[in-house]
Amino acid sequence: MPVEARRVKGNLELKTPLVKASSRLPLPGSRLKRGPDQMEDALEPAKKRTRGLGAVTKVNITRPRGPPLRTAPQTHGQTAVYNSCVTCNSLVLRNQKPAPAAPAAPAPKPAGKKPGKRPAWDLKGQLYDLNEELKRYREKNQALDRDNQQLQEQLKEAQQQAKTLGTECSTLEEELTRVRTQAEQGQQELGHLRAHVSEIEEQLSTKEELLQELQKEQLELQEERRALATRLEEQERRQQALEAALSSSQAEVVCLRQETASQATLLAERGDQLHGLEMERRRLHNQLQELKGNIRVFCRVRPVLAGEPVPSSGFLLFPPGPAGPSDPPTCLSLSRSDDRRATLSGAPAPPTRHDFSFDRVFPPGSRQDEVFEEISMLVQSALDGYPVCIFAYGQTGSGKTFTMEGGPGEDPQLEGLIPRALRHLFSVAQEMNGQGWTYSFVASYVEIYNETVRDLLATGTRKGQGGECEIRRAGPGSEELTVTNARYVPVSCEKEVEALLHLARQNRAVARTAQNERSSRSHSVFQLQISGEHAARGLQCGAPLNLVDLAGSERLDPGLALGPGERDRLRETQAINSSLSTLGLVIMALSNKESHVPYRNSKLTYLLQNSLGGSAKMLMFVNISPLEENVSESLNSLRFASKVNQCVIGTARANKK
Ligand code: ADP
Ligand code: MG
């Protein structure tokens, strides 16, 4: 509650008796100036007394008031006297100006003397008393007038004050309304602000959490930064060291570049030198081969197999070479006892000793690798561009196939010349790749049986049957020969060659069922066409390497009766003999430099014509059985081989006998 309002309320409580007093002294003047409420007050004092508080609220009681009306103390008896006097007075004064209504006051008592009732006759005394009383009333009336005047003034002031207070009150009410409105607005605003504050507080707490996280993160980052700074310092130190090393390396690089340039020049020179040396090596190698003989003959005696009769001790002898026992043998002696010849005394003639000399003789214990070592030089010649022909000649069962292809089974020790030669070729070609040479190889494998050529690499429906092939020139005017219907398979590794040899064996096995032991009655020709190229120098070389497993050289026993089967056999044998003798004749003709070389007399010589003669290298293995029972065929083979061995093809043979 405002302070002013409280003050008003407090004053109202105090003022209540005054109002009552005022109501006892109704003033004509004041009655006119009262408001409607005050009028009602006067009319219905009892009624209004209950709500009189509201009517008097506008009276300013803070102002000093006039002296309150004092009523003289009265007693019960006095009041009665006074009342009667008033009644009397009112009658007396009725013609006078009516005094304002005043409450009946006790008549003043004469001081020190109790008024007694005058006798009726004492009119003078009574008059006197009445005059006295009138005088007192007049005085009293004057006092009351003064009081009344004061009260009117007070009332005026109070009314003025009430008016002012009313104005003030309405102003205050307006202000209160305004303040209330403001307060409501303030409340609303406060509500909004509170919501806002709580929102901000929430945000604040979130921000605080975030801040904490950020602070934590900042700490971590600071830690990280310190670590990174340490690392950076380290890196900088290292970088400085590296830069120093780099600058020295750069200087070194410059030196090295200069050195490299001079080395490159040197290398080119060396390359030229190397090439010159390679050409020289080829020339010398070829010269060496020619000095060794373009036709060489090696004799190989197979061991006695299990179950075969052991020959007598002096049957086969291998005398040491000129340099003693360490020298590889080149001679072979075969002793033959002739029962038909007898001495005069009738005692059996001493065995005839037949001595043979070859480029090399391999006794029965010789291993496959030893044999190959001797011919590896020829394989090198093939890579250098010289045609090479290697034959295995001998009777059936003397070890030709063993020498060319290898022993039974997968034993690598028993591998024959063909797989070993191919492996050697591949590895040397690989080495020469470093010198700029690129080699390619194409293989074919055919057999010549009864003067017909068949493909041993045939597959599918042709497998085993081996549709007939023809030997033709590769093109018009070309020297190169090719076998029609035969497969020419490019090879680049041992595995591929093994697969081809396996296929050839299968083809032979199938054919064997149709014709008895045809393999021994036919020539098998493995041909490898070698092509080399030195692209940088624009050089090319190409030559065939021929590995030939000849048909059994045995003759048919003339004493045998000829049945229908034997007749076929005879025809086969004649064909074989014919082709083998043609081979001998061709070699002779080449050796004798005859104008006509009878290549065409057999399919074998016809097929091999480019690998025989000229700069071609030829090697013949003569395979010999160690058995005494085969001595006749062994002698035949050795004689044929000796003839070949005496041949000279190409340049003069220096070391040939
Ligand atoms: P060919 O082909 O001349 O008819 P083979 O090569 O088939 O003769 O040989 C006949 C048999 O003798 C085969 O069982 C073979 O394994 C064996 N043989 C041949 N030469 C040797 C040798 N040097 N060492 C061991 N066994 C051999
Ligand atoms: Mg054979």
Side-chain angles (χ1 to χ4, degrees):
M1 185 185 288
V3 178
E4 282 298 315
R6 273 203 304 269
R7 199 184 299 154
V8 169
K9 193 180 174 185
N11 287 341
L12 281 173
E13 284 163 0
L14 290 170
K15 207 61 184 162
T16 308
L18 274 180
V19 171
K20 281 179 184 171
S22 169
S23 66
R24 281 180 203 147
L25 295 170
L27 299 173
S30 65
R31 205 181 249 278
L32 291 171
K33 288 177 185 172
R34 272 186 192 159
D37 288 347
Q38 286 166 318
M39 290 290 281
E40 279 175 37
D41 245 5
L43 292 169
E44 296 176 328
K47 186 182 171 187
K48 285 290 167 181
R49 202 168 290 132
T50 53
R51 46 180 184 143
L53 287 175
V56 190
T57 48
K58 289 181 184 174
V59 177
N60 190 352
I61 53 165
T62 54
R63 296 179 58 239
R65 289 174 297 183
L69 288 176
R70 291 181 197 275
T71 52
Q74 58 186 19
T75 58
H76 189 69
Q78 285 173 329
T79 308
V81 173
Y82 190 73
N83 280 345
S84 62
C85 287
V86 170
T87 310
C88 182
N89 257 353
S90 64
L91 290 173
V92 173
L93 298 172
R94 192 159 289 163
N95 294 327
Q96 296 173 359
K97 190 181 177 182
K109 285 182 282 186
K113 182 169 83 168
K114 196 174 175 178
K117 203 170 171 182
R118 294 189 187 262
W121 51 271
D122 193 4
L123 287 173
K124 202 177 175 180
Q126 281 180 7
L127 185 66
Y128 176 81
D129 286 346
L130 283 171
N131 281 333
E132 280 299 313
E133 197 172 348
L134 183 67
K135 196 177 159 188
R136 280 199 309 273
Y137 274 112
R138 274 184 186 148
E139 283 170 4
K140 199 173 178 181
N141 196 30
Q142 282 171 356
L144 283 170
D145 279 345
R146 280 196 304 276
D147 276 357
N148 191 26
Q149 210 169 350
Q150 276 180 354
L151 282 170
Q152 275 183 353
E153 280 169 11
Q154 278 180 11
L155 183 64
K156 268 185 199 170
E157 276 177 28
Q159 279 174 343
Q160 190 65 36
Q161 215 170 351
K163 198 177 169 187
T164 316
L165 282 170
T167 316
E168 220 170 293
C169 187
S170 62
T171 313
L172 284 170
E173 273 174 353
E174 279 172 16
E175 203 172 330
L176 183 68
T177 318
R178 193 170 48 79
V179 165
R180 273 188 186 139
T181 316
Q182 273 182 2
E184 277 171 17
Q185 284 176 354
Q187 285 290 339
Q188 281 179 359
E189 210 169 316
L190 190 68
H192 289 146
L193 284 170
R194 274 191 186 130
H196 191 56
V197 163
S198 63
E199 200 179 310
I200 285 172
E201 276 174 356
E202 271 178 30
Q203 281 182 5
L204 185 69
S205 66
T206 317
K207 291 275 161 71
E208 275 173 356
E209 281 173 16
L210 195 68
L211 183 70
Q212 280 176 356
E213 278 177 26
L214 284 170
Q215 279 172 346
K216 201 174 153 193
E217 211 171 310
Q218 189 190 11
L219 284 173
E220 284 173 6
L221 284 170
Q222 278 173 350
E223 194 61 37
E224 208 173 318
R225 194 181 67 82
R226 275 196 288 277
L228 281 171
T230 318
R231 273 181 62 192
L232 184 68
E233 278 175 22
E234 180 67 23
Q235 294 281 358
E236 277 172 357
R237 275 200 297 278
R238 278 177 60 190
Q239 194 190 349
Q240 281 171 359
L242 284 171
E243 274 169 4
L246 181 69
S247 57
S248 72
S249 291
Q250 278 170 343
E252 213 171 312
V253 164
V254 172
C255 292
L256 283 171
R257 276 202 183 123
Q258 287 168 353
E259 210 173 312
T260 307
S262 62
Q263 293 279 354
T265 318
L266 201 66
L267 199 66
E269 283 172 17
R270 289 281 151 84
D272 289 344
Q273 271 179 12
L274 192 67
H275 181 69
L277 286 171
E278 170 61 19
M279 288 298 138
E280 183 65 7
R281 183 200 64 73
R282 285 186 182 200
R283 195 184 63 75
L284 289 171
H285 181 80
N286 189 46
Q287 208 171 351
L288 179 70
Q289 297 307 309
E290 284 179 349
L291 284 170
K292 281 185 174 181
N294 274 355
I295 300 178
R296 269 178 284 170
V297 179
F298 291 172
C299 176
R300 186 178 194 187
V301 182
R302 76 158 171 86
V304 177
L305 302 175
E308 289 180 336
V310 180
S312 54
S313 61
F315 175 61
L316 274 173
L317 292 171
F318 303 94
S326 61
D327 213 17
T330 53
C331 297
L332 171 138
S333 294
L334 188 145
S335 298
R336 180 185 186 177
S337 55
D338 195 343
D339 296 341
R340 288 170 297 182
R341 285 197 306 126
T343 54
L344 289 172
S345 62
T352 319
R353 183 174 160 156
H354 302 270
D355 291 332
F356 297 94
S357 173
F358 299 103
D359 292 286
R360 179 77 196 264
V361 171
F362 293 99
S366 304
R367 299 190 315 271
Q368 295 282 62
D369 58 337
E370 289 176 55
V371 177
F372 176 72
E373 206 179 308
E374 278 296 317
I375 66 144
S376 63
M377 300 299 269
L378 279 183
V379 174
Q380 181 65 57
S381 288
L383 275 174
D384 292 348
Y386 298 98
V388 174
C389 239
I390 300 174
F391 295 102
Y393 181 95
Q395 72 174 113
T396 301
S398 60
K400 299 183 297 293
T401 306
F402 185 92
T403 301
M404 297 309 283
E405 285 189 23
E410 300 292 311
D411 189 354
Q413 301 284 331
L414 301 182
E415 270 185 345
L417 295 184
I418 298 176
R420 284 174 195 269
L422 269 290
R423 190 188 306 135
H424 185 71
L425 277 174
F426 293 141
S427 92
V428 175
Q430 188 71 34
E431 282 172 25
M432 293 190 65
N433 206 22
Q435 291 180 30
W437 285 93
T438 313
Y439 282 95
S440 62
F441 308 94
V442 178
S444 66
Y445 207 177
V446 295
E447 71 170 2
I448 301 169
Y449 173 75
N450 261 349
E451 289 302 281
T452 53
V453 183
R454 289 173 197 271
D455 185 13
L456 285 177
L457 302 181
T459 52
T461 50
R462 291 174 60 242
K463 198 169 180 177
Q465 307 303 314
E468 278 191 26
C469 305
E470 289 299 325
I471 303 163
R472 297 255 185 276
R473 295 210 170 269
S478 168
E479 288 292 307
E480 203 183 322
L481 292 171
T482 181
V483 180
T484 60
N485 291 333
R487 281 177 72 211
Y488 285 83
V489 184
V491 286
S492 56
C493 66
E494 288 172 63
K495 291 273 173 212
E496 290 169 354
V497 176
E498 274 173 25
L500 292 183
L501 294 180
H502 182 71
L503 178 62
R505 270 196 289 274
Q506 277 188 332
N507 272 329
R508 277 205 210 102
V510 173
R512 196 177 297 147
T513 56
Q515 297 170 23
N516 185 31
E517 276 301 318
R518 199 178 81 183
S519 68
S520 66
R521 314 298 302 154
S522 62
H523 311 297
S524 298
V525 184
F526 181 87
Q527 280 191 313
L528 188 77
Q529 187 61 45
I530 301 168
S531 306
E533 187 184 14
H534 195 300
R537 296 184 187 276
L539 296 174
Q540 283 182 335
C541 66
L545 170 68
N546 302 281
L547 298 155
V548 187
D549 185 354
L550 292 169
S553 61
E554 63 274 11
R555 315 286 153 112
L556 210 65
D557 192 341
L560 284 175
L562 291 177
E566 277 77 23
R567 266 193 221 109
D568 285 349
R569 185 80 188 270
L570 182 63
R571 210 167 42 245
E572 264 182 19
T573 311
Q574 281 168 347
I576 293 164
N577 290 343
S578 164
S579 67
L580 288 176
S581 55
T582 303
L583 178 65
L585 287 171
V586 164
I587 294 168
M588 295 293 178
L590 288 169
S591 174
N592 297 334
K593 298 189 171 42
E594 289 172 14
S595 57
H596 177 69
V597 181
Y599 293 118
R600 287 181 172 272
N601 286 5
S602 82
K603 289 276 163 67
L604 179 70
T605 49
Y606 186 60
L607 180 65
L608 297 176
Q609 60 183 288
N610 290 331
S611 302
L612 302 168
S615 60
K617 313 283 176 266
M618 195 166 72
L619 174 69
M620 184 174 281
F621 276 94
V622 55
N623 290 93
I624 300 294
S625 162
L627 305 181
E628 281 185 278
E629 63 189 54
N630 298 129
V631 68
S632 177
E633 287 302 328
S634 297
L635 272 174
N636 282 338
S637 298
L638 289 167
R639 282 183 187 131
F640 177 84
S642 290
K643 274 190 202 162
V644 171
N645 199 34
Q646 282 160 15
C647 290
V648 180
I649 300 177
T651 55
R653 195 176 66 172
N655 62 344
K656 287 273 180 181
K657 290 173 193 164

